[in-house]
Amino acid sequence: QVQLEESGGGLVQPGGSLRLSCTASGLNFRDYHMAWFRQAPGKEREFVAVSARPGSGGNSYYEQSVQGRFTISRDNAKRMVFLQMNGLKLEDTAVYYCASSQAALSAIRQLRMYKFWGQGTQVTVSS
């Protein structure tokens, strides 16, 4: 059975950094796009970043508000995906979820295309 487990969340001051990790099991990791989504209180879950699977080019894509501040990376050998978050802002506060998909690249940012999800890790940005 597929399991995605996130770690690395916590409380950080504005301008600070955090690194989230997600470990996958039960799937052929290299065959999946690996993404991060987030959900703030009272808001819908939204796309943050995705690392496309090697067979689809292996590129990274970002939501506009995190472009230049967040970096997604993956270690296919360890079946892990990471999200390095720098320059954190109050509005980055949310539960962050790791997810996997085999969608076409054109649909890679769409939440509904992701079949497997982790339980989430809380990121709180506060002074």
Side-chain angles (χ1 to χ4, degrees):
Q1 105 211 31
V2 177
Q3 288 189 321
L4 303 177
E5 184 172 357
E6 304 96 337
S7 62
L11 173 64
V12 63
Q13 292 185 339
S17 298
L18 279 176
R19 187 188 192 217
L20 306 183
S21 300
C22 172
T23 302
S25 61
L27 53 74
N28 191 347
F29 189 78
R30 292 179 61 91
D31 287 344
Y32 285 80
H33 312 304
M34 297 300 299
W36 290 93
F37 288 77
R38 66 185 179 185
Q39 188 166 18
K43 295 187 176 182
E44 295 185 350
R45 194 170 299 187
E46 65 175 4
F47 169 79
V48 176
V50 61
S51 174
R53 59 190 174 187
S56 295
N59 294 319
S60 301
Y61 304 90
Y62 298 91
E63 194 271 330
Q64 188 172 3
S65 70
V66 308
Q67 183 82 44
R69 299 188 297 124
F70 292 9
T71 302
I72 190 171
S73 61
R74 63 192 287 163
D75 185 330
N76 292 315
K78 294 183 178 179
R79 298 186 176 189
M80 296 185 71
V81 61
F82 307 96
L83 186 67
Q84 178 67 44
M85 305 185 293
N86 299 329
L88 282 161
K89 303 177 180 180
L90 296 176
E91 54 264 40
D92 294 318
T93 295
V95 177
Y96 284 71
Y97 297 90
C98 174
S100 62
S101 171
Q102 294 184 302
L105 277 179
S106 60
I108 204 171
R109 297 168 184 257
Q110 297 178 26
L111 183 149
R112 65 183 179 87
M113 303 306 294
Y114 285 79
K115 181 176 181 180
F116 301 114
W117 293 84
Q119 293 300 305
T121 185
Q122 176 70 47
V123 172
T124 302
V125 184
S126 175
S127 55

mmCIF file of all heavy atoms in Angstrom, residues 49-102:
data_model
loop_
_atom_site.group_PDB
_atom_site.id
_atom_site.type_symbol
_atom_site.label_atom_id
_atom_site.label_comp_id
_atom_site.label_asym_id
_atom_site.label_seq_id
_atom_site.Cartn_x
_atom_site.Cartn_y
_atom_site.Cartn_z
ATOM 1 N N ALA A 49 4.208 23.349 -5.330
ATOM 2 C CA ALA A 49 5.340 23.026 -6.200
ATOM 3 C C ALA A 49 5.283 21.555 -6.573
ATOM 4 O O ALA A 49 4.692 20.751 -5.849
ATOM 5 C CB ALA A 49 6.662 23.323 -5.503
ATOM 6 N N VAL A 50 5.899 21.222 -7.711
ATOM 7 C CA VAL A 50 5.950 19.830 -8.140
ATOM 8 C C VAL A 50 7.282 19.542 -8.808
ATOM 9 O O VAL A 50 7.835 20.395 -9.507
ATOM 10 C CB VAL A 50 4.776 19.489 -9.081
ATOM 11 C CG1 VAL A 50 4.806 20.339 -10.332
ATOM 12 C CG2 VAL A 50 4.762 18.012 -9.430
ATOM 13 N N SER A 51 7.777 18.341 -8.572
ATOM 14 C CA SER A 51 8.951 17.830 -9.258
ATOM 15 C C SER A 51 8.470 16.738 -10.211
ATOM 16 O O SER A 51 7.974 15.695 -9.760
ATOM 17 C CB SER A 51 9.941 17.253 -8.249
ATOM 18 O OG SER A 51 11.021 16.636 -8.917
ATOM 19 N N ALA A 52 8.573 17.011 -11.492
ATOM 20 C CA ALA A 52 8.086 16.039 -12.465
ATOM 21 C C ALA A 52 8.950 14.783 -12.448
ATOM 22 O O ALA A 52 10.143 14.824 -12.138
ATOM 23 C CB ALA A 52 8.092 16.665 -13.850
ATOM 24 N N ARG A 53 8.354 13.670 -12.786
ATOM 25 C CA ARG A 53 9.086 12.410 -12.813
ATOM 26 C C ARG A 53 10.173 12.455 -13.873
ATOM 27 O O ARG A 53 10.059 13.182 -14.860
ATOM 28 C CB ARG A 53 8.111 11.257 -13.088
ATOM 29 C CG ARG A 53 7.354 11.393 -14.403
ATOM 30 C CD ARG A 53 6.256 10.358 -14.495
ATOM 31 N NE ARG A 53 5.425 10.561 -15.678
ATOM 32 C CZ ARG A 53 4.320 9.895 -15.925
ATOM 33 N NH1 ARG A 53 3.890 8.990 -15.067
ATOM 34 N NH2 ARG A 53 3.637 10.143 -17.025
ATOM 35 N N PRO A 54 11.240 11.694 -13.676
ATOM 36 C CA PRO A 54 12.353 11.739 -14.633
ATOM 37 C C PRO A 54 11.924 11.482 -16.074
ATOM 38 O O PRO A 54 12.399 12.136 -17.002
ATOM 39 C CB PRO A 54 13.284 10.642 -14.120
ATOM 40 C CG PRO A 54 13.006 10.578 -12.660
ATOM 41 C CD PRO A 54 11.526 10.839 -12.530
ATOM 42 N N GLY A 55 10.990 10.562 -16.264
ATOM 43 C CA GLY A 55 10.543 10.227 -17.607
ATOM 44 C C GLY A 55 9.775 11.335 -18.307
ATOM 45 O O GLY A 55 9.575 11.297 -19.527
ATOM 46 N N SER A 56 9.361 12.339 -17.547
ATOM 47 C CA SER A 56 8.653 13.485 -18.128
ATOM 48 C C SER A 56 9.523 14.737 -18.133
ATOM 49 O O SER A 56 9.018 15.852 -18.252
ATOM 50 C CB SER A 56 7.361 13.759 -17.346
ATOM 51 O OG SER A 56 6.450 12.689 -17.471
ATOM 52 N N GLY A 57 10.805 14.553 -17.933
ATOM 53 C CA GLY A 57 11.727 15.679 -18.001
ATOM 54 C C GLY A 57 12.343 16.073 -16.671
ATOM 55 O O GLY A 57 13.368 16.736 -16.634
ATOM 56 N N GLY A 58 11.682 15.704 -15.581
ATOM 57 C CA GLY A 58 12.260 15.979 -14.265
ATOM 58 C C GLY A 58 12.323 17.446 -13.866
ATOM 59 O O GLY A 58 13.068 17.810 -12.953
ATOM 60 N N ASN A 59 11.551 18.302 -14.531
ATOM 61 C CA ASN A 59 11.588 19.724 -14.195
ATOM 62 C C ASN A 59 10.748 20.028 -12.963
ATOM 63 O O ASN A 59 9.931 19.211 -12.533
ATOM 64 C CB ASN A 59 11.092 20.548 -15.389
ATOM 65 C CG ASN A 59 12.029 20.444 -16.571
ATOM 66 O OD1 ASN A 59 13.244 20.468 -16.416
ATOM 67 N ND2 ASN A 59 11.473 20.323 -17.763
ATOM 68 N N SER A 60 10.941 21.224 -12.431
ATOM 69 C CA SER A 60 10.189 21.683 -11.271
ATOM 70 C C SER A 60 9.292 22.847 -11.666
ATOM 71 O O SER A 60 9.665 23.673 -12.508
ATOM 72 C CB SER A 60 11.135 22.120 -10.154
ATOM 73 O OG SER A 60 11.971 21.058 -9.758
ATOM 74 N N TYR A 61 8.126 22.903 -11.044
ATOM 75 C CA TYR A 61 7.151 23.947 -11.336
ATOM 76 C C TYR A 61 6.636 24.493 -10.015
ATOM 77 O O TYR A 61 6.473 23.745 -9.052
ATOM 78 C CB TYR A 61 6.002 23.389 -12.174
ATOM 79 C CG TYR A 61 6.463 22.728 -13.448
ATOM 80 C CD1 TYR A 61 6.770 21.373 -13.477
ATOM 81 C CD2 TYR A 61 6.622 23.463 -14.618
ATOM 82 C CE1 TYR A 61 7.219 20.762 -14.636
ATOM 83 C CE2 TYR A 61 7.062 22.853 -15.789
ATOM 84 C CZ TYR A 61 7.363 21.504 -15.784
ATOM 85 O OH TYR A 61 7.809 20.904 -16.945
ATOM 86 N N TYR A 62 6.357 25.792 -9.998
ATOM 87 C CA TYR A 62 5.991 26.454 -8.753
ATOM 88 C C TYR A 62 4.754 27.322 -8.912
ATOM 89 O O TYR A 62 4.489 27.880 -9.987
ATOM 90 C CB TYR A 62 7.143 27.342 -8.274
ATOM 91 C CG TYR A 62 8.408 26.578 -7.968
ATOM 92 C CD1 TYR A 62 9.385 26.381 -8.945
ATOM 93 C CD2 TYR A 62 8.625 26.032 -6.705
ATOM 94 C CE1 TYR A 62 10.537 25.671 -8.667
ATOM 95 C CE2 TYR A 62 9.785 25.318 -6.415
ATOM 96 C CZ TYR A 62 10.729 25.143 -7.404
ATOM 97 O OH TYR A 62 11.874 24.431 -7.125
ATOM 98 N N GLU A 63 4.045 27.445 -7.815
ATOM 99 C CA GLU A 63 2.983 28.442 -7.733
ATOM 100 C C GLU A 63 3.664 29.807 -7.675
ATOM 101 O O GLU A 63 4.738 29.962 -7.079
ATOM 102 C CB GLU A 63 2.139 28.175 -6.489
ATOM 103 C CG GLU A 63 0.820 28.909 -6.462
ATOM 104 C CD GLU A 63 0.931 30.289 -5.820
ATOM 105 O OE1 GLU A 63 1.790 30.461 -4.941
ATOM 106 O OE2 GLU A 63 0.168 31.190 -6.229
ATOM 107 N N GLN A 64 3.023 30.792 -8.289
ATOM 108 C CA GLN A 64 3.686 32.079 -8.477
ATOM 109 C C GLN A 64 4.132 32.725 -7.161
ATOM 110 O O GLN A 64 5.207 33.327 -7.090
ATOM 111 C CB GLN A 64 2.759 33.028 -9.235
ATOM 112 C CG GLN A 64 3.419 34.324 -9.643
ATOM 113 C CD GLN A 64 2.532 35.152 -10.545
ATOM 114 O OE1 GLN A 64 1.393 34.794 -10.843
ATOM 115 N NE2 GLN A 64 3.051 36.280 -11.005
ATOM 116 N N SER A 65 3.347 32.608 -6.113
ATOM 117 C CA SER A 65 3.664 33.306 -4.863
ATOM 118 C C SER A 65 4.883 32.726 -4.135
ATOM 119 O O SER A 65 5.439 33.380 -3.248
ATOM 120 C CB SER A 65 2.459 33.299 -3.926
ATOM 121 O OG SER A 65 2.221 31.998 -3.426
ATOM 122 N N VAL A 66 5.301 31.526 -4.505
ATOM 123 C CA VAL A 66 6.459 30.920 -3.842
ATOM 124 C C VAL A 66 7.682 30.873 -4.751
ATOM 125 O O VAL A 66 8.778 30.515 -4.297
ATOM 126 C CB VAL A 66 6.145 29.499 -3.324
ATOM 127 C CG1 VAL A 66 4.880 29.503 -2.470
ATOM 128 C CG2 VAL A 66 6.034 28.496 -4.451
ATOM 129 N N GLN A 67 7.481 31.218 -6.033
ATOM 130 C CA GLN A 67 8.592 31.214 -6.978
ATOM 131 C C GLN A 67 9.728 32.090 -6.459
ATOM 132 O O GLN A 67 9.523 33.230 -6.052
ATOM 133 C CB GLN A 67 8.107 31.746 -8.336
ATOM 134 C CG GLN A 67 9.147 31.719 -9.434
ATOM 135 C CD GLN A 67 9.275 30.370 -10.086
ATOM 136 O OE1 GLN A 67 8.278 29.727 -10.379
ATOM 137 N NE2 GLN A 67 10.490 29.936 -10.337
ATOM 138 N N GLY A 68 10.939 31.537 -6.439
ATOM 139 C CA GLY A 68 12.099 32.284 -5.966
ATOM 140 C C GLY A 68 12.356 32.164 -4.480
ATOM 141 O O GLY A 68 13.434 32.533 -4.003
ATOM 142 N N ARG A 69 11.379 31.675 -3.737
ATOM 143 C CA ARG A 69 11.562 31.484 -2.288
ATOM 144 C C ARG A 69 11.620 30.012 -1.912
ATOM 145 O O ARG A 69 12.341 29.640 -0.990
ATOM 146 C CB ARG A 69 10.412 32.147 -1.518
ATOM 147 C CG ARG A 69 10.299 33.639 -1.739
ATOM 148 C CD ARG A 69 9.255 34.245 -0.775
ATOM 149 N NE ARG A 69 7.917 33.732 -1.003
ATOM 150 C CZ ARG A 69 7.169 33.151 -0.060
ATOM 151 N NH1 ARG A 69 7.645 32.994 1.164
ATOM 152 N NH2 ARG A 69 5.946 32.731 -0.362
ATOM 153 N N PHE A 70 10.849 29.184 -2.598
ATOM 154 C CA PHE A 70 10.782 27.751 -2.317
ATOM 155 C C PHE A 70 11.512 26.982 -3.402
ATOM 156 O O PHE A 70 11.494 27.362 -4.587
ATOM 157 C CB PHE A 70 9.342 27.279 -2.270
ATOM 158 C CG PHE A 70 8.527 27.792 -1.114
ATOM 159 C CD1 PHE A 70 8.997 28.781 -0.257
ATOM 160 C CD2 PHE A 70 7.261 27.267 -0.870
ATOM 161 C CE1 PHE A 70 8.235 29.238 0.798
ATOM 162 C CE2 PHE A 70 6.487 27.713 0.190
ATOM 163 C CZ PHE A 70 6.972 28.716 1.015
ATOM 164 N N THR A 71 12.111 25.865 -2.995
ATOM 165 C CA THR A 71 12.779 24.987 -3.947
ATOM 166 C C THR A 71 12.374 23.546 -3.658
ATOM 167 O O THR A 71 12.539 23.070 -2.537
ATOM 168 C CB THR A 71 14.300 25.107 -3.856
ATOM 169 O OG1 THR A 71 14.690 26.469 -4.093
ATOM 170 C CG2 THR A 71 14.975 24.213 -4.891
ATOM 171 N N ILE A 72 11.846 22.874 -4.668
ATOM 172 C CA ILE A 72 11.505 21.464 -4.534
ATOM 173 C C ILE A 72 12.624 20.628 -5.136
ATOM 174 O O ILE A 72 13.229 21.015 -6.145
ATOM 175 C CB ILE A 72 10.151 21.153 -5.211
ATOM 176 C CG1 ILE A 72 9.686 19.740 -4.867
ATOM 177 C CG2 ILE A 72 10.228 21.358 -6.725
ATOM 178 C CD1 ILE A 72 8.251 19.433 -5.310
ATOM 179 N N SER A 73 12.904 19.510 -4.488
ATOM 180 C CA SER A 73 13.907 18.587 -5.011
ATOM 181 C C SER A 73 13.501 17.172 -4.644
ATOM 182 O O SER A 73 12.651 16.964 -3.780
ATOM 183 C CB SER A 73 15.294 18.914 -4.446
ATOM 184 O OG SER A 73 15.314 18.802 -3.037
ATOM 185 N N ARG A 74 14.101 16.216 -5.332
ATOM 186 C CA ARG A 74 13.772 14.822 -5.046
ATOM 187 C C ARG A 74 15.027 13.975 -5.092
ATOM 188 O O ARG A 74 15.970 14.282 -5.822
ATOM 189 C CB ARG A 74 12.719 14.296 -6.022
ATOM 190 C CG ARG A 74 13.146 14.265 -7.474
ATOM 191 C CD ARG A 74 11.950 14.014 -8.396
ATOM 192 N NE ARG A 74 11.483 12.629 -8.320
ATOM 193 C CZ ARG A 74 10.276 12.231 -8.750
ATOM 194 N NH1 ARG A 74 9.440 13.107 -9.276
ATOM 195 N NH2 ARG A 74 9.923 10.962 -8.670
ATOM 196 N N ASP A 75 15.005 12.910 -4.300
ATOM 197 C CA ASP A 75 16.071 11.914 -4.298
ATOM 198 C C ASP A 75 15.417 10.595 -4.661
ATOM 199 O O ASP A 75 14.773 9.960 -3.822
ATOM 200 C CB ASP A 75 16.732 11.851 -2.920
ATOM 201 C CG ASP A 75 17.929 10.913 -2.880
ATOM 202 O OD1 ASP A 75 17.939 9.922 -3.634
ATOM 203 O OD2 ASP A 75 18.833 11.153 -2.073
ATOM 204 N N ASN A 76 15.556 10.208 -5.914
ATOM 205 C CA ASN A 76 14.849 9.020 -6.386
ATOM 206 C C ASN A 76 15.351 7.749 -5.709
ATOM 207 O O ASN A 76 14.586 6.813 -5.482
ATOM 208 C CB ASN A 76 14.978 8.901 -7.901
ATOM 209 C CG ASN A 76 14.233 10.010 -8.621
ATOM 210 O OD1 ASN A 76 13.088 10.323 -8.285
ATOM 211 N ND2 ASN A 76 14.881 10.619 -9.606
ATOM 212 N N ALA A 77 16.618 7.704 -5.391
ATOM 213 C CA ALA A 77 17.180 6.516 -4.748
ATOM 214 C C ALA A 77 16.608 6.326 -3.342
ATOM 215 O O ALA A 77 16.370 5.196 -2.912
ATOM 216 C CB ALA A 77 18.690 6.619 -4.692
ATOM 217 N N LYS A 78 16.376 7.429 -2.643
ATOM 218 C CA LYS A 78 15.848 7.357 -1.277
ATOM 219 C C LYS A 78 14.327 7.476 -1.235
ATOM 220 O O LYS A 78 13.732 7.397 -0.163
ATOM 221 C CB LYS A 78 16.467 8.451 -0.417
ATOM 222 C CG LYS A 78 17.960 8.284 -0.198
ATOM 223 C CD LYS A 78 18.505 9.368 0.724
ATOM 224 C CE LYS A 78 19.984 9.162 0.989
ATOM 225 N NZ LYS A 78 20.537 10.218 1.868
ATOM 226 N N ARG A 79 13.713 7.703 -2.396
ATOM 227 C CA ARG A 79 12.263 7.860 -2.471
ATOM 228 C C ARG A 79 11.792 9.022 -1.604
ATOM 229 O O ARG A 79 10.816 8.896 -0.849
ATOM 230 C CB ARG A 79 11.538 6.568 -2.071
ATOM 231 C CG ARG A 79 11.846 5.392 -2.961
ATOM 232 C CD ARG A 79 10.998 4.197 -2.602
ATOM 233 N NE ARG A 79 11.221 3.084 -3.502
ATOM 234 C CZ ARG A 79 10.493 1.989 -3.518
ATOM 235 N NH1 ARG A 79 9.475 1.851 -2.688
ATOM 236 N NH2 ARG A 79 10.760 1.016 -4.363
ATOM 237 N N MET A 80 12.454 10.110 -1.729
ATOM 238 C CA MET A 80 12.127 11.274 -0.920
ATOM 239 C C MET A 80 11.988 12.525 -1.800
ATOM 240 O O MET A 80 12.655 12.659 -2.825
ATOM 241 C CB MET A 80 13.205 11.519 0.132
ATOM 242 C CG MET A 80 13.337 10.416 1.162
ATOM 243 S SD MET A 80 14.519 10.797 2.448
ATOM 244 C CE MET A 80 13.622 12.065 3.350
ATOM 245 N N VAL A 81 11.135 13.408 -1.349
ATOM 246 C CA VAL A 81 10.990 14.717 -1.974
ATOM 247 C C VAL A 81 11.075 15.762 -0.869
ATOM 248 O O VAL A 81 10.628 15.525 0.257
ATOM 249 C CB VAL A 81 9.673 14.824 -2.770
ATOM 250 C CG1 VAL A 81 8.453 14.637 -1.890
ATOM 251 C CG2 VAL A 81 9.619 16.131 -3.543
ATOM 252 N N PHE A 82 11.659 16.902 -1.215
ATOM 253 C CA PHE A 82 11.919 17.933 -0.231
ATOM 254 C C PHE A 82 11.333 19.268 -0.699
ATOM 255 O O PHE A 82 11.186 19.503 -1.893
ATOM 256 C CB PHE A 82 13.427 18.107 -0.028
ATOM 257 C CG PHE A 82 14.145 16.822 0.285
ATOM 258 C CD1 PHE A 82 14.770 16.089 -0.724
ATOM 259 C CD2 PHE A 82 14.185 16.332 1.578
ATOM 260 C CE1 PHE A 82 15.427 14.911 -0.448
ATOM 261 C CE2 PHE A 82 14.838 15.145 1.873
ATOM 262 C CZ PHE A 82 15.459 14.426 0.861
ATOM 263 N N LEU A 83 11.049 20.116 0.268
ATOM 264 C CA LEU A 83 10.648 21.480 -0.053
ATOM 265 C C LEU A 83 11.433 22.415 0.856
ATOM 266 O O LEU A 83 11.182 22.469 2.059
ATOM 267 C CB LEU A 83 9.145 21.687 0.144
ATOM 268 C CG LEU A 83 8.626 23.050 -0.310
ATOM 269 C CD1 LEU A 83 8.726 23.184 -1.834
ATOM 270 C CD2 LEU A 83 7.183 23.277 0.150
ATOM 271 N N GLN A 84 12.397 23.096 0.277
ATOM 272 C CA GLN A 84 13.165 24.096 1.003
ATOM 273 C C GLN A 84 12.426 25.418 0.907
ATOM 274 O O GLN A 84 12.201 25.924 -0.195
ATOM 275 C CB GLN A 84 14.570 24.232 0.415
ATOM 276 C CG GLN A 84 15.422 25.302 1.078
ATOM 277 C CD GLN A 84 15.760 24.958 2.518
ATOM 278 O OE1 GLN A 84 16.109 23.826 2.829
ATOM 279 N NE2 GLN A 84 15.658 25.956 3.404
ATOM 280 N N MET A 85 12.051 25.959 2.054
ATOM 281 C CA MET A 85 11.267 27.180 2.098
ATOM 282 C C MET A 85 12.081 28.280 2.759
ATOM 283 O O MET A 85 12.417 28.175 3.944
ATOM 284 C CB MET A 85 9.958 26.949 2.866
ATOM 285 C CG MET A 85 9.138 25.790 2.322
ATOM 286 S SD MET A 85 7.537 25.622 3.144
ATOM 287 C CE MET A 85 8.079 25.152 4.780
ATOM 288 N N ASN A 86 12.405 29.295 2.004
ATOM 289 C CA ASN A 86 13.152 30.449 2.502
ATOM 290 C C ASN A 86 12.291 31.696 2.429
ATOM 291 O O ASN A 86 11.300 31.743 1.695
ATOM 292 C CB ASN A 86 14.417 30.646 1.673
ATOM 293 C CG ASN A 86 15.363 29.458 1.733
ATOM 294 O OD1 ASN A 86 15.438 28.756 2.738
ATOM 295 N ND2 ASN A 86 16.090 29.229 0.648
ATOM 296 N N GLY A 87 12.659 32.702 3.185
ATOM 297 C CA GLY A 87 11.909 33.944 3.152
ATOM 298 C C GLY A 87 10.444 33.764 3.492
ATOM 299 O O GLY A 87 9.567 34.350 2.857
ATOM 300 N N LEU A 88 10.174 32.958 4.500
ATOM 301 C CA LEU A 88 8.785 32.624 4.831
ATOM 302 C C LEU A 88 8.000 33.861 5.251
ATOM 303 O O LEU A 88 8.523 34.762 5.931
ATOM 304 C CB LEU A 88 8.748 31.552 5.908
ATOM 305 C CG LEU A 88 9.038 30.141 5.377
ATOM 306 C CD1 LEU A 88 9.452 29.211 6.501
ATOM 307 C CD2 LEU A 88 7.832 29.590 4.655
ATOM 308 N N LYS A 89 6.753 33.879 4.839
ATOM 309 C CA LYS A 89 5.839 34.973 5.121
ATOM 310 C C LYS A 89 4.671 34.471 5.956
ATOM 311 O O LYS A 89 4.388 33.265 5.997
ATOM 312 C CB LYS A 89 5.313 35.564 3.807
ATOM 313 C CG LYS A 89 6.387 36.051 2.857
ATOM 314 C CD LYS A 89 5.778 36.549 1.567
ATOM 315 C CE LYS A 89 6.852 37.037 0.597
ATOM 316 N NZ LYS A 89 6.261 37.538 -0.670
ATOM 317 N N LEU A 90 3.978 35.393 6.607
ATOM 318 C CA LEU A 90 2.823 35.019 7.423
ATOM 319 C C LEU A 90 1.823 34.204 6.617
ATOM 320 O O LEU A 90 1.234 33.242 7.124
ATOM 321 C CB LEU A 90 2.164 36.271 7.983
ATOM 322 C CG LEU A 90 2.998 37.118 8.942
ATOM 323 C CD1 LEU A 90 2.228 38.378 9.331
ATOM 324 C CD2 LEU A 90 3.384 36.331 10.181
ATOM 325 N N GLU A 91 1.653 34.577 5.365
ATOM 326 C CA GLU A 91 0.663 33.918 4.517
ATOM 327 C C GLU A 91 1.074 32.524 4.054
ATOM 328 O O GLU A 91 0.292 31.832 3.393
ATOM 329 C CB GLU A 91 0.326 34.784 3.302
ATOM 330 C CG GLU A 91 1.526 35.224 2.485
ATOM 331 C CD GLU A 91 2.008 36.621 2.857
ATOM 332 O OE1 GLU A 91 2.024 36.947 4.070
ATOM 333 O OE2 GLU A 91 2.401 37.371 1.936
ATOM 334 N N ASP A 92 2.280 32.105 4.402
ATOM 335 C CA ASP A 92 2.699 30.738 4.109
ATOM 336 C C ASP A 92 2.222 29.756 5.173
ATOM 337 O O ASP A 92 2.401 28.536 5.022
ATOM 338 C CB ASP A 92 4.226 30.643 3.999
ATOM 339 C CG ASP A 92 4.779 31.411 2.817
ATOM 340 O OD1 ASP A 92 4.170 31.339 1.729
ATOM 341 O OD2 ASP A 92 5.816 32.080 2.969
ATOM 342 N N THR A 93 1.636 30.265 6.241
ATOM 343 C CA THR A 93 1.117 29.403 7.294
ATOM 344 C C THR A 93 0.028 28.489 6.745
ATOM 345 O O THR A 93 -0.944 28.957 6.143
ATOM 346 C CB THR A 93 0.545 30.249 8.442
ATOM 347 O OG1 THR A 93 1.614 30.985 9.057
ATOM 348 C CG2 THR A 93 -0.127 29.373 9.485
ATOM 349 N N ALA A 94 0.216 27.186 6.941
ATOM 350 C CA ALA A 94 -0.722 26.197 6.397
ATOM 351 C C ALA A 94 -0.263 24.807 6.806
ATOM 352 O O ALA A 94 0.855 24.631 7.304
ATOM 353 C CB ALA A 94 -0.773 26.285 4.871
ATOM 354 N N VAL A 95 -1.125 23.843 6.557
ATOM 355 C CA VAL A 95 -0.710 22.447 6.600
ATOM 356 C C VAL A 95 -0.200 22.101 5.205
ATOM 357 O O VAL A 95 -0.886 22.343 4.209
ATOM 358 C CB VAL A 95 -1.867 21.520 6.990
ATOM 359 C CG1 VAL A 95 -1.417 20.062 6.949
ATOM 360 C CG2 VAL A 95 -2.398 21.881 8.374
ATOM 361 N N TYR A 96 0.993 21.550 5.137
ATOM 362 C CA TYR A 96 1.625 21.201 3.868
ATOM 363 C C TYR A 96 1.522 19.694 3.642
ATOM 364 O O TYR A 96 1.854 18.903 4.534
ATOM 365 C CB TYR A 96 3.078 21.649 3.871
ATOM 366 C CG TYR A 96 3.225 23.138 3.661
ATOM 367 C CD1 TYR A 96 2.848 24.043 4.651
ATOM 368 C CD2 TYR A 96 3.717 23.654 2.459
ATOM 369 C CE1 TYR A 96 2.947 25.417 4.454
ATOM 370 C CE2 TYR A 96 3.839 25.018 2.252
ATOM 371 C CZ TYR A 96 3.451 25.897 3.252
ATOM 372 O OH TYR A 96 3.555 27.249 3.052
ATOM 373 N N TYR A 97 1.077 19.341 2.443
ATOM 374 C CA TYR A 97 0.854 17.948 2.087
ATOM 375 C C TYR A 97 1.761 17.530 0.937
ATOM 376 O O TYR A 97 1.919 18.270 -0.040
ATOM 377 C CB TYR A 97 -0.593 17.728 1.658
ATOM 378 C CG TYR A 97 -1.614 17.992 2.725
ATOM 379 C CD1 TYR A 97 -2.174 19.253 2.888
ATOM 380 C CD2 TYR A 97 -2.031 16.971 3.575
ATOM 381 C CE1 TYR A 97 -3.115 19.500 3.869
ATOM 382 C CE2 TYR A 97 -2.976 17.203 4.566
ATOM 383 C CZ TYR A 97 -3.514 18.475 4.706
ATOM 384 O OH TYR A 97 -4.447 18.708 5.683
ATOM 385 N N CYS A 98 2.264 16.344 1.038
ATOM 386 C CA CYS A 98 2.998 15.703 -0.043
ATOM 387 C C CYS A 98 2.001 14.852 -0.829
ATOM 388 O O CYS A 98 1.109 14.233 -0.240
ATOM 389 C CB CYS A 98 4.087 14.836 0.582
ATOM 390 S SG CYS A 98 5.026 13.801 -0.538
ATOM 391 N N ALA A 99 2.148 14.824 -2.148
ATOM 392 C CA ALA A 99 1.231 14.059 -2.974
ATOM 393 C C ALA A 99 1.940 13.528 -4.204
ATOM 394 O O ALA A 99 2.939 14.093 -4.649
ATOM 395 C CB ALA A 99 0.047 14.927 -3.392
ATOM 396 N N SER A 100 1.389 12.459 -4.778
ATOM 397 C CA SER A 100 1.999 11.847 -5.952
ATOM 398 C C SER A 100 0.974 11.647 -7.053
ATOM 399 O O SER A 100 -0.209 11.402 -6.784
ATOM 400 C CB SER A 100 2.655 10.513 -5.588
ATOM 401 O OG SER A 100 1.694 9.603 -5.114
ATOM 402 N N SER A 101 1.442 11.744 -8.286
ATOM 403 C CA SER A 101 0.555 11.659 -9.433
ATOM 404 C C SER A 101 1.303 11.102 -10.639
ATOM 405 O O SER A 101 2.519 11.253 -10.744
ATOM 406 C CB SER A 101 0.022 13.053 -9.771
ATOM 407 O OG SER A 101 -0.672 13.069 -10.992
ATOM 408 N N GLN A 102 0.527 10.524 -11.553
ATOM 409 C CA GLN A 102 1.065 10.097 -12.842
ATOM 410 C C GLN A 102 0.361 10.832 -13.985
ATOM 411 O O GLN A 102 0.322 10.351 -15.112
ATOM 412 C CB GLN A 102 0.914 8.580 -13.013
ATOM 413 C CG GLN A 102 1.765 7.790 -12.036
ATOM 414 C CD GLN A 102 1.696 6.297 -12.262
ATOM 415 O OE1 GLN A 102 0.632 5.691 -12.220
ATOM 416 N NE2 GLN A 102 2.839 5.691 -12.512
#
